[in-house]
Amino acid sequence: MRGNHEKRDYDEADLEVRAPKDHAVGVPAVAVSLTRSFESMGVVRSAETLRELNQAHGFDCMSCAWPDPEPGERSFAEFCENGAKAVAEEGTRTRATPDFFARHSIADLDSHTEHWLGRQGRITHPMVKWPGATHYVPIGWDRASALIGAQLNALERPDQAIFYTSGRASNEAAFTYQLFARAFGTNNLPDCSNMCHESTSIALAESIGIGKASVTLDDVYAAKLIVLQGQNPGTNHPRMLTALEQAKRNGAKILTINPLREAGLVRFKNPQAARGVIGSGTDLSDLHLPIAINGDLALLQAFGALLVEWDALDHEFLDRYTSGFEQWQAHVREIDWEVVTTTTGLSRRRITEAARMLRDSEATVFCWAMGLTQHRNSVATIKEVTNIALAQGNIGKPGAGLLPVRGHSNVQGDRTMGIWERVPQHFLDAIEREFGFDPPRENGCDTVDSIRSMRDGRAQFFLGLGGNFVQAAPDTAVTTSALRKTKMTVHISTKLNRSHLVCGETALILPTKGRTEQDIQAGGAQYISVEDSTCSVHASRGPLTPASPHLESEVGIITRIAEATLGDRYGIDWRGMRADYATIRAHISRVVPGCEGYEVNVRRPGGFVLPHPPRDSRTFETGSGRAEFAVSPIEVLQVPPGHVILQTFRSHDQFNTTIYGLSDRYRGIEGGRRVVFLHRDDIAALGFDDGDMVNLVTRWDGDTCVRRAPSFRIVEYAIPRGCAAAYYPETNPLVPLDSTAIGSNCPTSKSIVVALEPVGAEHSPAPEELGQSDLGADWSHKSVPQLHHLS
Ligand SMILES: Nc1nc2c(c(=O)[nH]1)N[C@H]1C(S)=C(S)[C@@H](COP(=O)(O)OP(=O)(O)OC[C@H]3O[C@@H](n4cnc5c(=O)[nH]c(N)nc54)[C@H](O)[C@@H]3O)O[C@H]1N2
Ligand SMILES: Nc1nc2c(c(=O)[nH]1)N[C@H]1C(S)=C(S)[C@@H](COP(=O)(O)OP(=O)(O)OC[C@H]3O[C@@H](n4cnc5c(=O)[nH]c(N)nc54)[C@H](O)[C@@H]3O)O[C@H]1N2
Ligand code: SF4
Ligand SMILES: [Mo]
């Protein structure tokens, strides 16, 4: 198995560990973002581009899905450091030309790090790797599309093809893409959401009838209490801190629940407020609970027990709108506090203090992200968040509600447009009415199932609309060999990444225009549209000249492939859609619920907000017509002696698999990425010292295979006992493909049971050496992890 450790573009020996920061943003952040932009884009181009970022007439930030303020309330620079980095990454003047691909074989490229690959700049021409070839060579658009169409038509069945999407694709591209896959005959439409907020979508759909946030930005400003659980906004949704600061000024309290005291959670200096730049910043968190990894379900049930005990409940809401409250109440009343305190690593006193904040708030907003979604029991945990919100009537009233904070800038819009392997039948009925063909009705493959399907030889074709599948997916070695078994891999991409080097028999890279770039088609200049975390949909227009005259837009590429594959099957006018995206939006307005009048609404400054029945009218479109309480047993992840629970997270200098640089400034890590954060006492208990080099090792279900990620430096850190943290994607080789969340199939990237082994001691340990035979698979309701101690 290869790991990034073999790839030497920088020396991990240069890694420096400094004291972590206690606050986020401020002057250094602005300086960093501008330096990066100037370096890669030049001064004039940077200034012109950043001026358009997140403005009503400009383009939508392609980094995260945090919403924009109302048009009249936006500042002149409505972006953050990481938004500026994302723009610089796309707007770079560096180019990966056919000449570059002639100089570097695929094997040579594969010897470099992900960071180096990204630094080679924008891909300028469509490229192909022919069967048996060592290099990519240029290919024309017509020939590339014909090749793909021929391969698709040569498959025995449509479900031998996988159509993956990453959440940066526009609504127009996403709608066209799902239409193409379904007209071709498959619902195999996995997306990055399957590895991200899938647990949220499943849990919320079952509990409240819709898998999306029930709040607007105004609710955040009006909240009395904001709970931030399993999320690191200072890095991943930086402008959320501005909203939280505003909420605090309006009187809100903030409760943070995270194994780490992430810089942004504790203190914040707003670079756009004079006070933020010179002053000492805002103390964001009123109470921080340093919870042990995966302790959230137990904590939330303890909150429930206390709210019930204190009768801090909204009885009128419960009677009128919910079902299952009695059973839930009986369940939480029976809570075992010893299980709660050992599982959470928190004392009963601290938990009670936090529950009082809930009790005393008339309007609470609950926010969460990957710290809650990527565990085996994530669906149950998110239903428990919902239970707590329902108990106090915190849904469908001002200043209150559920706010799953989405990742990719348009991941939510892609789902709305039908990128979903399990799309509801009414959506398929609408496709049938609009286009006159009967789309496939059985569910398709999600991400994990797609990997299984390629691994087992069932799927033979992979098309990625953006993303970096091989690095984002779990079990890197398995995913790599699965893709290599296919007849054809195709990637629609802006920049080079590892997935381009893990080739099917034939492989293509189709270079696309990005969000920052102008898109001129036969029908004139086009714009696209996107949806943020709060269901707000608006237009986006790129200001820059495209990186190369040979680029096509995503819609352009998809419609070309569709034409080459389907010809005029069903009479779908792919060419017309390409010429003028208003044609696509007209289809959207007739197919997608809530999108009537799309063309007009989306062009309004600030766009429009999609309907959300619980938010708008406390209507719950569940089986019972009421919001459903869920009863979940507390399961405890067993950690055998000598092991810790590892969470894999993002540094401050990356966007998912795109590594911008080697500075995780807030956590004090500079010049490298192969670090594992551990509690001082665990380092000693495991027989190591701070600074030692170790391999991380997982076993799964008595597999004969030992998964190993080599060469991590131990860094002593303020993290609860029994817990560890290291960066994604270097740790993805450790996540077993079959280790997924119950009900959502989301990989368990936030709770991997690992052992540490000294570098140089690599051997395949016998099961007894690792403690027991089925590590990581062992759950029970009774016992508790041995490494957790009360804080
Ligand atoms: N700059 C930048 N922005 C991004 C991204 C990026 O890579 N870079 N990625 C985008 C995407 S796709 C996404 S999904 C989001 C991700 O946004 P986040 O969810 O904030 O991302 P992670 O870095 O995975 O951080 C997870 C947080 O959960 C905490 N955590 C881990 N395990 C647990 C647990 O068991 N319980 C609790 N309570 N907390 C836990 C971690 O300590 C960490 O603070 O960000 C989006 N925005
Ligand atoms: N261990 C572990 N694994 C994880 C996670 C974790 O926390 N831990 N998080 C998971 C999550 S939340 C997510 S969302 C997934 C992310 O999975 P993906 O979405 O598949 O990965 P990204 O790194 O966001 O994709 C980056 C690539 O997208 C391409 N790209 C960039 N901009 C554009 C564009 O405008 N158009 C097109 N067509 N291509 C573009 C570039 O070539 C770039 O290399 O990873 C998941 N994997
Ligand atoms: S908060 Fe997110 S969407 Fe907003 S500018 Fe920053 S990265 Fe972009
Ligand atoms: Mo994500």
Side-chain angles (χ1 to χ4, degrees):
M1 187 203 309
R2 19 182 358 135
N4 284 341
H5 71 296
E6 300 163 31
K7 305 175 174 114
R8 288 265 174 242
D9 299 312
Y10 54 88
D11 196 343
E12 291 277 350
D14 295 339
L15 188 142
E16 259 184 72
V17 180
R18 303 176 185 164
K21 297 267 186 297
D22 72 343
H23 62 268
V25 203
V27 175
V30 179
V32 168
S33 62
L34 294 181
T35 318
R36 287 275 171 84
S37 308
F38 292 164
E39 271 168 20
S40 54
M41 296 173 69
V43 178
V44 175
R45 214 161 116 96
S46 298
E48 283 174 0
T49 314
L50 293 176
R51 202 172 53 210
E52 305 282 312
L53 179 51
N54 288 332
Q55 300 300 336
H57 57 271
F59 70 100
D60 180 70
C61 176
M62 64 285 227
S63 191
C64 80
W66 185 251
D68 302 313
E70 289 296 313
E73 293 162 21
R74 294 182 197 175
S75 66
F76 72 95
E78 195 55 66
F79 59 87
C80 70
E81 172 190 2
N82 281 338
K85 281 189 199 167
V87 168
E89 182 78 15
E90 184 174 300
T92 176
R93 288 178 296 189
T94 318
R95 300 286 176 266
T97 60
D99 195 42
F100 166 85
F101 285 100
R103 273 184 280 123
H104 296 279
S105 69
I106 293 167
D108 172 26
L109 293 172
D110 199 24
S111 71
H112 289 282
T113 58
E114 209 62 42
H115 181 220
W116 185 92
L117 294 175
R119 285 213 324 269
Q120 304 317 305
R122 292 287 298 278
I123 303 164
T124 56
H125 290 68
M127 305 296 295
V128 63
K129 182 210 80 91
W130 296 105
T134 55
H135 287 69
Y136 273 104
V137 293
I139 182 173
W141 281 108
D142 287 343
R143 200 166 164 217
S145 313
L147 196 65
I148 297 166
Q151 177 59 66
L152 280 168
N153 287 322
L155 297 175
E156 283 158 30
R157 297 183 313 279
D159 61 12
Q160 289 180 320
I162 306 286
F163 297 94
Y164 175 72
T165 308
S166 165
R168 203 171 269 190
S170 65
N171 281 353
E172 287 75 2
F175 184 84
T176 320
Y177 193 62
Q178 62 82 32
L179 178 64
F180 165 49
R182 296 194 161 107
F184 177 66
T186 180
N187 283 318
N188 284 348
L189 284 156
D191 67 348
C192 63
S193 205
N194 297 144
M195 301 179 264
C196 183
H197 263 295
E198 195 64 64
S199 306
T200 300
S201 305
I202 299 283
L204 293 189
E206 288 174 16
S207 295
I208 62 165
I210 177 168
K212 298 182 178 185
S214 76
V215 299
T216 63
L217 208 43
D218 283 338
D219 291 315
V220 176
Y221 298 143
K224 297 287 174 237
L225 173 67
I226 299 172
V227 183
L228 292 175
Q229 193 166 8
Q231 199 203 341
N232 180 20
T235 285
N236 296 314
H237 307 89
R239 276 189 317 145
M240 182 176 183
L241 299 185
T242 313
L244 295 174
E245 193 192 30
Q246 174 71 45
K248 281 219 87 163
R249 248 184 276 132
N250 297 346
K253 293 234 178 302
I254 295 184
L255 167 64
T256 55
I257 305 168
N258 195 307
L260 306 179
R261 285 175 74 87
E262 304 280 28
L265 297 181
V266 192
R267 300 199 106 193
F268 170 53
K269 294 187 188 182
N270 187 346
Q272 287 173 12
R275 168 174 82 261
V277 177
I278 4 177
S280 59
T282 307
D283 277 331
L284 271 188
S285 184
D286 293 275
L287 178 64
H288 176 72
L289 298 183
I291 193 167
I293 293 173
N294 199 36
D296 301 85
L297 179 61
L299 175 70
L300 290 158
Q301 292 197 6
F303 287 165
L306 292 168
L307 294 176
V308 165
E309 187 187 316
W310 299 331
D311 194 24
L313 306 165
D314 183 339
H315 289 285
E316 200 195 316
F317 178 86
L318 290 171
D319 291 345
R320 235 175 114 183
Y321 298 109
T322 70
S323 130
F325 170 72
E326 295 301 327
Q327 292 89 317
W328 177 74
Q329 172 171 252
H331 174 70
V332 295
R333 273 199 171 126
E334 295 295 304
I335 195 127
D336 180 339
W337 275 95
E338 205 203 314
V339 171
V340 170
T341 49
T342 18
T343 310
T344 58
L346 301 166
S347 65
R348 185 166 180 167
R349 189 181 52 78
R350 284 270 204 110
I351 294 173
T352 308
E353 201 184 329
R356 277 197 210 105
M357 291 172 78
L358 287 164
R359 180 194 64 191
D360 297 343
S361 158
E362 290 143 36
T364 305
V365 171
F366 298 83
C367 310
W368 70 91
M370 296 305 101
L372 290 201
T373 64
Q374 300 175 330
H375 302 275
R376 182 176 139 101
N377 54 1
S378 283
V379 174
T381 302
I382 293 156
K383 285 186 177 176
E384 209 62 55
V385 175
T386 313
N387 290 341
I388 299 297
L390 294 174
Q392 295 189 288
N394 273 317
I395 289 189
K397 72 175 186 191
L402 301 169
L403 178 49
V405 184
R406 303 275 161 180
H408 267 294
S409 59
N410 197 39
V411 63
Q412 186 159 321
D414 291 349
R415 269 292 161 90
T416 307
M417 295 297 130
I419 301 289
W420 198 359
E421 73 286 350
R422 279 173 293 186
V423 76
Q425 295 297 321
H426 65 76
F427 188 95
L428 299 174
D429 294 340
I431 293 271
E432 185 173 356
R433 276 198 304 277
E434 178 73 6
F435 296 99
F437 72 92
D438 187 14
R441 296 286 170 162
E442 62 293 348
N443 288 342
C445 291
D446 61 16
T447 292
V448 165
D449 287 336
S450 296
I451 298 167
R452 292 188 181 124
S453 183
M454 291 185 281
R455 176 195 65 192
D456 300 342
R458 280 175 283 131
Q460 314 220 324
F461 173 95
F462 177 93
L463 172 55
L465 175 56
N468 184 2
F469 191 79
V470 92
Q471 289 283 276
D475 229 344
T476 314
V478 175
T479 302
T480 301
S481 74
L483 279 164
R484 288 209 166 115
K485 281 171 106 172
T486 60
K487 291 214 166 14
M488 184 179 278
T489 48
V490 185
H491 295 279
I492 301 173
S493 312
T494 48
K495 297 185 91 176
L496 191 59
N497 66 43
R498 181 82 43 212
S499 299
H500 303 139
L501 313 176
V502 177
C503 302
E505 205 172 295
T506 303
L508 290 116
I509 308 174
L510 306 178
T512 186
K513 290 172 194 165
R515 196 80 69 75
T516 55
E517 291 167 324
Q518 296 157 4
D519 184 2
I520 317 276
Q521 299 289 349
Q526 305 299 316
Y527 68 89
I528 52 106
S529 53
V530 291
E531 176 183 345
D532 66 30
S533 270
T534 57
C535 310
S536 170
V537 184
H538 61 272
S540 173
R541 298 169 187 80
L544 294 178
T545 309
S548 146
H550 307 287
L551 301 185
E552 244 305 1
S553 69
E554 290 178 343
V555 169
I557 296 171
I558 297 159
T559 51
R560 280 168 187 275
I561 297 174
E563 272 179 299
T565 310
L566 303 175
D568 58 5
R569 199 190 299 177
Y570 311 131
I572 301 172
D573 183 11
W574 303 106
R575 190 174 296 245
M577 293 192 215
R578 176 161 71 242
D580 185 353
Y581 301 174
T583 323
I584 305 172
R585 288 187 288 269
H587 290 303
I588 290 173
S589 71
R590 291 186 293 263
V591 169
V592 183
C595 290
E596 304 76 20
Y598 196 75
E599 182 72 30
V600 175
N601 291 337
V602 89
R603 286 169 82 149
R604 284 202 207 117
F608 73 103
V609 178
L610 283 165
H612 187 291
R615 179 197 66 206
D616 301 336
S617 59
R618 292 189 159 174
T619 305
F620 300 94
E621 294 170 350
T622 59
S624 63
R626 287 165 163 261
E628 303 273 0
F629 274 87
V631 173
S632 311
I634 300 176
E635 288 190 323
V636 180
L637 182 53
Q638 293 303 294
V639 184
H643 290 68
V644 287
I645 308 180
L646 174 78
Q647 61 137 326
T648 61
F649 61 3
R650 293 152 173 81
S651 83
H652 193 65
D653 216 4
Q654 69 183 89
F655 188 88
N656 297 341
T657 70
T658 300
I659 311 302
Y660 299 140
L662 305 173
S663 165
D664 195 11
R665 202 171 67 243
Y666 295 155
R667 299 193 187 105
I669 303 298
E670 297 290 336
R673 292 178 47 87
R674 297 191 81 86
V675 289
V676 55
F677 300 96
L678 285 163
H679 189 281
R680 174 203 307 218
D681 296 344
D682 286 334
I683 299 175
L686 295 169
F688 294 104
D689 286 316
D690 184 26
D692 279 357
M693 296 301 294
V694 292
N695 303 323
L696 304 177
V697 183
T698 27
R699 282 180 57 87
W700 172 253
D701 255 352
D703 265 6
T704 46
C705 151
V706 172
R707 291 174 176 79
R708 180 178 282 112
S711 299
F712 287 77
R713 174 164 155 187
I714 294 180
V715 172
E716 183 187 314
Y717 205 78
I719 186 169
R721 288 214 59 190
C723 301
Y727 301 128
Y728 137 69
E730 285 81 352
T731 42
N732 287 43
L734 296 169
V735 188
L737 186 64
D738 293 336
S739 177
T740 59
I742 301 164
S744 73
N745 216 20
C746 177
T748 58
S749 312
K750 292 289 187 283
S751 46
I752 316 165
V753 178
V754 297
L756 278 62
E757 123 198 304
V759 167
E762 294 82 3
H763 62 297
S764 290
E768 58 275 16
E769 287 178 69
L770 279 164
Q772 60 189 71
S773 63
D774 55 349
L775 307 182
D778 186 19
W779 286 68
S780 84
H781 299 199
K782 281 276 166 286
S783 47
V784 291
Q786 283 123 355
L787 275 174
H788 290 169
H789 295 282
L790 296 184
S791 63

